[in-house]
Amino acid sequence: MSKDHKTLIRPEGLPGSASWPVVTPIMPSVVYASETPDALDAQYEGRVEGYTYAREGHPNAEVLARRIDALEGEDGGLVLGSGMAAVTAVMLGILKAGDHVVGGDQLYGRSLRLMTQDLPRMGITTTLADPCDAAAIAAAIRPETRMILVEVVSNPTLRVADMEGIARVAREKGVLLVVDNTFTTPRAYRPFDHGADIVIHSVTKLLAGHSDVTLGYAVARDAGLQKAIYDFAVTTGMTPSPFDCWLAERGLATFDLRFDRAEQNAARLADHLGTLAGVKRVLYPMRGDHPDAARARAVLGNRGCNMLSFELHGGREAANAFAAAAEGIAFAPTLGDVGTTLSHPASSSHRALTPEARAAIGISEGFFRVSVGLEDSDALADVFSRAVAAAETA
Ligand SMILES: *Cc1c(COP(=O)(O)O)cnc(C)c1O
């Protein structure tokens, strides 16, 4: 007679092992079981550590958060379901009706939308000002201003904010300084070393680095503010997926190496584009011809970035010919991938602006932004040379 192998549906525990995995396991469990009600009390009262329900936190999010904490030099950060979840949780978790926020006038598109459409609907007023000019930021501050939100390097014209000046304004006026550090990353800029109160990331971009997860991160220096961000994120369900967190942790293992390589490639590609007759201008903050070259050195030291922009002679036809000829370079509106990607602000991120408004910030139909990846730099130079030549004959 065969033995009866019937078991209950949820066997308890994993097979025993004196050794352990070197790779973080993926833990998709939504709920965590406890021994007894007394044991659960101990956990809720903070006498022992433990998880209860994944929306409130889970091991893969926590492992990832501690790694990004270490990069930014702070403790207790939170991983959320997207970069925009992080921006939203910071604003709505902390602000209340009647408050006022000052934002950089070239923030990420959805951050601008949050500032100009959603916050005002909730009774939070906002003003946008040029972050390259600390006096303009100071002039926008009101008695009810609670927060300043800036990015260090703007998209897509790669303007460098006056971070020291803005930090001084925030300190003098007693306003929270929130830095979206997505473009610069802690490899090039550590906001907490320069007076920031809160740091935000779209982990989707360089930190995870492989265009296969959507995640965000937010950390506040003040524990009370961090708790407000956490509670808002848990209440509104901004929970990241364990698998996404696991992929991002894997990506983060090579972040430093990827950043350094991409930065080198970007500097070389910027210089190469500058030699091509079909290119009208190149924007790379580390080049002497960038309007903020001096400030880039002051803010970023000897670090660069993986982003550059350039303008072709010619309009939409040249742009179409260029994108079609740039074989192997994904024409896709993201950044920070291992592979080089190309975006065309006039038809994507900045399409809602009038041509005049785009022209005012220097974005024409021939304008492209490049997120430089880890390819062989000679191969990159070749493909860009061919694509620029194709644009010239269009
Ligand atoms: C992409 C991006 C965001 C939004 O991040 P998601 O992960 O796409 O939600 C916010 N800020 C900056 C600077 C970004 O580049």
Side-chain angles (χ1 to χ4, degrees):
M1 264 222 339
S2 65
K3 277 195 188 161
D4 189 346
H5 280 304
K6 281 189 180 125
T7 63
L8 295 176
I9 286 176
R10 298 287 192 193
E12 263 174 51
L14 297 168
S17 172
S19 51
W20 54 87
V22 295
V23 175
T24 306
I26 301 174
M27 286 165 275
S29 193
V30 168
V31 282
Y32 289 80
S34 303
E35 196 74 44
T36 61
D38 277 354
L40 200 53
D41 272 349
Q43 196 170 304
Y44 271 118
E45 287 159 17
R47 285 178 277 128
V48 296
E49 299 267 354
Y51 299 98
T52 48
Y53 190 66
R55 179 160 40 70
E56 298 173 354
H58 56 73
N60 290 107
E62 186 137 350
V63 168
L64 178 61
R66 296 298 78 77
R67 297 197 64 136
I68 305 176
D69 283 353
L71 293 175
E72 288 293 4
E74 206 31 82
D75 300 318
L78 179 69
V79 170
L80 308 96
S82 70
M84 280 317 299
V87 176
T88 304
V90 163
M91 301 214 131
L92 295 185
I94 293 173
L95 300 170
K96 60 178 189 322
D99 286 344
H100 174 250
V101 188
V102 176
D105 58 2
Q106 285 202 44
L107 291 171
Y108 182 70
R110 286 280 163 181
S111 298
L112 278 181
R113 195 185 155 95
L114 181 69
M115 297 268 306
T116 56
Q117 310 281 312
D118 300 294
L119 296 184
R121 200 158 39 74
M122 295 165 194
I124 299 163
T125 52
T126 64
T127 306
L128 302 178
D130 179 3
C132 296
D133 179 4
I137 297 283
I141 304 276
R142 302 179 191 165
E144 65 274 22
T145 306
R146 186 80 208 284
M147 187 181 277
I148 300 171
L149 171 65
V150 287
E151 294 169 17
V152 185
V153 173
S154 76
N155 175 43
T157 54
L158 309 176
R159 299 300 309 260
V160 180
D162 177 2
M163 296 306 295
E164 296 305 318
I166 295 170
R168 201 175 318 116
V169 170
R171 199 170 50 244
E172 282 168 13
K173 308 271 184 181
V175 171
L176 294 171
L177 176 58
V178 181
V179 178
D180 179 338
N181 203 26
T182 300
F183 263 51
T184 24
T185 83
R187 191 94 177 125
Y189 186 75
R190 303 218 324 170
F192 289 122
D193 295 343
H194 304 277
D197 297 291
I198 296 175
V199 171
I200 291 172
H201 278 283
S202 169
V203 177
T204 312
K205 311 293 171 51
L206 287 128
L207 294 183
H210 295 71
S211 294
D212 51 12
V213 298
T214 303
L215 285 176
Y217 166 88
V219 64
R221 184 150 257 186
D222 177 87
L225 293 179
Q226 186 65 39
K227 183 167 187 321
I229 295 166
Y230 168 83
D231 280 326
F232 186 84
V234 171
T235 300
T236 54
M238 296 176 167
T239 318
S241 135
F243 183 54
D244 283 358
C245 294
W246 184 86
L247 281 172
E249 185 199 341
R250 179 186 172 128
L252 209 55
T254 55
F255 161 66
D256 286 4
L257 297 170
R258 286 186 288 104
F259 188 87
D260 293 356
R261 168 73 176 228
E263 177 190 52
Q264 266 173 25
N265 273 356
R268 289 192 61 178
L269 183 61
D271 286 340
H272 178 66
L273 287 168
T275 67
L276 302 179
V279 171
K280 194 160 144 193
R281 65 179 179 133
V282 177
L283 286 172
Y284 187 63
M286 290 75 224
R287 272 169 63 94
D289 59 359
H290 188 279
D292 300 328
R295 195 176 313 116
R297 262 190 308 281
V299 172
L300 303 173
N302 58 2
R303 296 311 313 214
C305 70
N306 77 311
M307 304 298 295
L308 65 88
S309 294
F310 67 95
E311 197 175 357
L312 293 168
H313 288 294
R316 176 59 72 96
E317 268 167 33
N320 281 337
F322 175 84
E327 270 177 50
I329 308 295
F331 174 52
T334 189
L335 66 104
D337 186 53
V338 287
T340 299
T341 56
L342 198 61
S343 87
H344 182 250
S347 63
S348 58
S349 55
H350 292 65
R351 67 174 300 127
L353 301 187
T354 62
E356 295 72 37
R358 283 198 293 268
I361 50 174
I363 298 171
S364 65
E365 284 291 341
F367 189 104
F368 280 94
R369 184 197 76 182
V370 188
S371 166
V372 182
L374 317 185
E375 294 91 344
D376 177 85
S377 67
D378 292 333
L380 272 181
D382 284 350
V383 69
F384 275 81
S385 295
R386 283 197 300 274
V388 169
E392 283 182 284
T393 54

